[in-house]
Amino acid sequence: MNYTLHQLQVFLKVTQTESITKAAEELHLTQPAVSIQLRNFQDQFDIPLTEIVGRKLYVTEFGREIASAAEKIVDQIHAINYKTASFKGQLTGRLKISVVSTGKYVMPYFLTGFMKRHPGIELKLDVTNKAMVLNSLDENEVDFALVSILPESIQVEAIQLMENKLYLVSNKDFEFKKEKYAKEIFEQITLIFREQGSGTRLTLERFLRNNNIPVRKKMELTSNEAVKQAIIAGLGCSVMPLIGIRNELKDGYLKIIPVEDLPIVTNWNLIYLKNKRFSPVAEAFLTYLHEEKNNIIAEHFSWFGEKRVSNN
């Protein structure tokens, strides 16, 4: 056998994503390049590593065994690179963070300066829903997690980063007949919810429950972007985090409906397991946040602190 490290990395990414298209995107390669590397790697084995059923790629049982071995090899290569950089006096290693979907508008700003300061660090940033984020943290698969609602079932420590403001949002065709609406407006509109397990959905449901507000018409969509596009198209309204709709408000595609007791205000928290033993990289990031978070907020999120949000 004469497979290369590059082939191992491509095969490992294909098994993780179960998609040549997604693997190509994450590796910043073309789909044909990934397909060629996968085929060249497969040619060195008599037993199939993957199979196509319909249009979906599946990893065989043998393929998963090879993927497990490939992951160990790739990890050892990373370890060699880290040790080499360490001898040169650089802070090296992996920083692993899991982020709820709306957190993708927040977390990168708290990472950029740190990553520039320590170029020897490799970042793994996973963006998914709240349930998956907490599972990754509970299984100790990541160093930190970004959430807007603190978990009750896991013992964690938290660093409060900034506020998370949620407003009732419509498309540009909504006609404002009142300067401020009563909460009963929720009974008169089609309300779009995020999927079960979403932090935004939990916050909205808690608000409706605490105010005894029944919802007559509702639909459910599985991503923040899907909700945003549905509102723009006129399918309904939704309560959305301000952080994720700034451009759409500015361009006039979305409007904030003024409602009493809104916005709902929570906080973005970077959490980690209680009594966790940090790697040098995670420890350095924690120190960086304590020192720089106020400067980062002032530089990138000064607009977010305004008391009144305009629809213009």
Side-chain angles (χ1 to χ4, degrees):
M1 291 188 180
N2 191 30
Y3 44 77
T4 66
L5 175 61
H6 184 52
Q7 288 172 350
L8 285 173
Q9 291 171 321
V10 169
F11 174 65
L12 185 57
K13 185 60 68 175
V14 169
T15 63
Q16 291 170 342
T17 60
E18 295 188 340
S19 165
I20 290 175
T21 301
K22 291 180 181 178
E25 290 174 355
E26 294 190 19
L27 291 168
H28 305 291
L29 298 172
T30 64
Q31 291 184 41
V34 170
S35 296
I36 290 171
Q37 292 299 325
L38 181 62
R39 184 172 63 249
N40 291 343
F41 188 62
Q42 172 66 80
D43 287 345
Q44 300 180 67
F45 299 91
D46 296 329
I47 305 173
L49 300 172
T50 62
E51 57 184 356
I52 303 294
V53 180
R55 291 188 173 184
K56 183 169 175 57
L57 182 145
Y58 293 89
V59 184
T60 65
E61 184 177 351
F62 177 67
R64 295 201 178 279
E65 291 289 333
I66 298 302
S68 178
E71 186 172 17
K72 293 176 183 177
I73 293 170
V74 171
D75 285 343
Q76 287 299 314
I77 296 297
H78 284 308
I80 291 171
N81 293 336
Y82 297 152
K83 289 176 182 178
T84 302
S86 180
F87 271 93
K88 294 179 180 180
Q90 296 179 11
L91 181 64
T92 61
R94 282 185 179 182
L95 179 63
K96 294 176 286 186
I97 303 176
S98 189
V99 177
V100 294
S101 57
T102 312
K104 66 179 177 284
Y105 300 107
V106 176
M107 198 67 233
Y109 293 98
F110 291 91
L111 284 163
T112 300
F114 180 74
M115 297 302 295
K116 287 181 178 178
R117 186 179 297 182
H118 303 290
I121 290 174
E122 179 185 344
L123 172 66
K124 181 179 180 181
L125 184 65
D126 183 36
V127 180
T128 183
N129 66 30
K130 181 174 181 283
M132 294 297 292
V133 166
L134 294 181
N135 182 67
S136 296
L137 187 71
D138 194 30
E139 294 294 325
N140 203 26
E141 296 172 351
V142 296
D143 299 306
F144 303 100
L146 183 69
V147 296
S148 58
I149 301 175
L150 293 175
E152 297 178 357
S153 59
I154 309 173
Q155 289 191 323
V156 298
E157 302 285 353
I159 306 172
Q160 190 177 112
L161 296 184
M162 56 182 284
E163 288 185 336
N164 180 34
K165 299 178 181 179
L166 296 95
Y167 290 85
L168 182 61
V169 180
S170 71
N171 75 351
K172 59 183 176 62
D173 297 325
F174 185 89
E175 295 184 7
F176 290 87
K177 298 179 180 180
K178 298 180 181 180
E179 186 173 334
K180 179 165 284 192
Y181 288 83
K183 293 190 284 288
E184 284 70 27
I185 189 175
F186 284 97
E187 302 177 41
Q188 304 161 16
I189 59 175
T190 298
L191 194 57
I192 304 173
F193 286 76
R194 283 285 305 276
E195 77 283 4
Q196 290 285 350
S198 159
T200 299
R201 177 175 181 140
L202 289 173
T203 300
L204 173 56
E205 288 179 333
R206 184 181 298 168
F207 174 81
L208 296 173
R209 186 171 58 251
N210 290 344
N211 288 279
N212 298 313
I213 301 172
V215 177
R216 301 184 188 280
K217 300 178 183 179
K218 70 177 182 179
M219 63 180 68
E220 179 180 306
L221 298 177
T222 57
S223 74
N224 200 62
E225 189 60 32
V227 172
K228 192 188 301 183
Q229 294 305 319
I231 298 171
I232 292 173
L235 280 175
C237 303
S238 187
V239 168
M240 298 197 72
L242 177 62
I243 197 75
I245 58 174
R246 182 188 186 189
N247 291 336
E248 288 76 13
L249 289 172
K250 181 179 178 182
D251 294 338
Y253 294 113
L254 295 178
K255 292 180 178 179
I256 289 175
I257 303 174
V259 180
E260 63 181 13
D261 295 337
L262 290 187
I264 305 169
V265 179
T266 59
N267 289 288
W268 288 111
N269 294 283
L270 195 70
I271 61 176
Y272 52 92
L273 291 176
K274 198 169 186 177
N275 301 320
K276 180 176 175 63
R277 296 180 63 182
F278 286 118
S279 67
V281 169
E283 188 73 49
F285 183 58
L286 205 59
T287 300
Y288 171 81
L289 283 181
H290 283 302
E291 293 175 349
E292 299 293 337
K293 75 168 187 175
N294 290 337
N295 293 332
I296 294 168
I297 292 170
E299 180 178 356
H300 297 289
F301 299 103
S302 58
W303 65 273
F304 192 77
E306 296 174 1
K307 294 183 179 179
R308 188 178 182 88
V309 177
S310 173
N311 283 311
N312 298 321

